[in-house]
Amino acid sequence: MKAIIYLLVAAVFWGINFHFAKIMLSEVRFIEAAAWRYIFGVLPLFFLAYKQLPSWTAIRENLKGILLIGIVCLFGFNIFFFIGLKYSSAINGSLIISTAPMLTILFSSSMLKTPLERKHIIGTVISLFGVLYLILKGNLLHFTQLNFSISDILLLVASTLFALQNVWIKKYGAAISNINFTLLTNFLCLLSFLIVLPFVGMEEVSTYSISFWFSAIGIGFFGTAVAYYFWNEGIKISSANQAGIMLNVVPLSTAIFSIILGEELFMYHLISGLLILVGVIVIRRQ
């Protein structure tokens, strides 16, 4: 139950992230938006962990996992997430990212040797059909003319990296404390963005709106520091598969906040979301 609560809180915050990110992207480039996200994410993590920072020996012994998650997964995910979301709606983005649970199960089976059962395959097919229905915008007659938009492809790549992150956290994250592991991986991600930022430039800070700062602090503190800490802890207590399943709360959270914020919902959003949920239920069936 403790693990479920951790994972649920993280998933709800990530659902809100899609709206925070859209607000930030309306004012700045994606590299700049991501950099601010991790600035406001790393700072609270540092203040929580600075009295118990790991030794250089511990960091060196766990460097492979820290690099894989901090640079490949977090930095890579955010690159594809922010670019993809720039040209997609918050709801579309959250539904495409919801393929991560099925991908997590497949990666967990191949990398962690978790048993792959028939229900996993059936549930995955149903959920992926839900994503296809979303991409076709509810018109299956367009299947022969299927044309992935660049935003769809980028968000699917982001989802793949997130699934790998779930597996690698389970594989590499237990050797050091969760707060240190979360801090180090997020710091590497921030460092990567700060290295890239001078090459793409940034807007004058004085031009940022109140909405931008509200979103940057929200996505940094709640959607990064708190969410990743809870998510990593939940995976350590339970499993990558259990965490992957809880990701399906993300589109639900996004949809609820979309309604609150007045974003338009279409029937194909609801149907595709239902198909994804049915696939998850099949996977979780005893």
Side-chain angles (χ1 to χ4, degrees), residues 72-281:
V72 177
C73 293
L74 292 182
F75 179 65
F77 169 85
N78 278 274
I79 289 289
F80 292 106
F81 170 76
F82 275 101
I83 300 178
L85 198 58
K86 179 73 174 179
Y87 304 102
S88 181
S89 70
I91 301 172
N92 257 47
S94 65
L95 285 170
I96 293 175
I97 294 297
S98 68
T99 58
M102 285 66 67
L103 294 171
T104 299
I105 288 174
L106 295 177
F107 288 139
S108 180
S109 175
S110 62
M111 299 170 68
L112 301 180
K113 307 307 178 184
T114 305
L116 182 63
E117 303 176 24
R118 180 187 298 178
K119 64 181 181 181
H120 295 148
I121 298 173
I122 296 174
T124 298
V125 170
I126 294 173
S127 292
L128 289 179
F129 183 78
V131 175
L132 178 63
Y133 190 81
L134 170 68
I135 293 170
L136 293 173
K137 294 181 170 56
N139 193 340
L140 297 180
L141 295 178
H142 290 165
F143 181 78
T144 56
Q145 304 172 359
L146 181 61
N147 182 27
F148 285 87
S149 70
I150 186 64
S151 61
D152 295 329
I153 295 173
L154 294 175
L155 288 167
L156 282 171
V157 173
S159 183
T160 300
L161 291 174
F162 199 99
L164 284 171
Q165 176 187 327
N166 293 332
V167 174
W168 283 337
I169 287 172
K170 188 65 179 179
K171 185 173 183 179
Y172 299 110
I176 58 178
S177 70
N178 182 39
I179 185 62
N180 284 325
F181 187 78
T182 305
L183 171 62
L184 290 170
T185 52
N186 279 266
F187 175 74
L188 272 182
C189 181
L190 170 61
L191 185 61
S192 300
F193 278 114
L194 292 179
I195 291 172
V196 175
L197 187 58
F199 296 97
V200 298
M202 61 182 294
E203 303 293 332
E204 289 288 337
V205 176
S206 61
T207 64
Y208 295 166
S209 68
I210 296 297
S211 296
F212 177 90
W213 287 117
F214 177 83
S215 299
I217 294 172
I219 199 174
F221 182 78
F222 294 106
T224 303
V226 175
Y228 279 120
Y229 176 82
F230 276 32
W231 189 258
N232 293 349
E233 188 68 19
I235 290 178
K236 288 184 178 182
I237 296 174
S238 57
S239 67
N241 283 354
Q242 181 69 42
I245 295 303
M246 293 302 294
L247 279 174
N248 289 278
V249 174
V250 173
L252 176 60
S253 172
T254 303
I256 291 173
F257 281 94
S258 294
I259 295 171
I260 295 173
L261 296 172
E263 188 170 316
E264 189 173 5
L265 289 172
F266 294 98
M267 183 57 67
Y268 67 81
H269 285 128
L270 301 177
I271 294 174
S272 61
L274 180 61
L275 286 169
I276 292 170
L277 179 60
V278 169
V280 173
I281 293 173

Side-chain angles (χ1 to χ4, degrees), residues 36-70:
W36 280 113
R37 172 187 182 177
Y38 280 89
I39 287 173
F40 287 114
V42 168
L43 284 175
L45 288 171
F46 176 76
F47 283 115
L48 286 174
Y50 79 95
K51 290 184 179 180
Q52 47 180 327
L53 293 175
S55 65
W56 286 111
T57 301
I59 294 175
R60 187 169 58 252
E61 290 175 349
N62 297 280
L63 189 59
K64 180 179 180 180
I66 294 170
L67 289 173
L68 283 173
I69 294 171

